[in-house]
Amino acid sequence: MIPLVFGFLWAQFAAARETGELLYANEVCGCRDVVASWVSDYVWTQMIWLPCNTLFLIIWVALAVKLWNGKRRPG
């Protein structure tokens, strides 16, 4: 699925560079709804889901390091 999105985005870039006009999904494959869904899923994954999960992981790691490396009482 991702290579198709990249292919469409590259075709979009090439068309804009050559003619100055944007390329629409219906002009490529007649599958505007499918391409819109792929792009939406890609943007959701790359821009929202992965950064939020990374931030969540960083917070948990920081908490774990703080707990494990805290000052230990001699005993």
Side-chain angles (χ1 to χ4, degrees):
M1 175 167 72
I2 296 298
L4 294 173
V5 172
F6 283 137
F8 177 74
L9 292 175
W10 180 256
Q12 184 76 277
F13 169 75
R17 189 171 178 192
E18 289 177 15
T19 64
E21 295 182 8
L22 294 178
L23 188 63
Y24 294 99
N26 286 341
E27 297 171 5
V28 176
C29 61
C31 53
R32 184 179 184 141
D33 294 334
V34 174
V35 171
S37 174
W38 289 343
V39 171
S40 174
D41 289 347
Y42 177 76
V43 169
W44 168 257
T45 301
Q46 297 296 320
M47 303 300 282
I48 298 170
W49 189 78
L50 286 175
C52 288
N53 280 346
T54 303
L55 182 62
F56 188 72
L57 178 65
I58 289 171
I59 290 170
W60 275 105
V61 168
L63 287 172
V65 167
K66 183 175 181 174
L67 285 173
W68 288 328
N69 289 338
K71 292 182 181 177
R72 297 188 179 145
R73 297 181 192 158

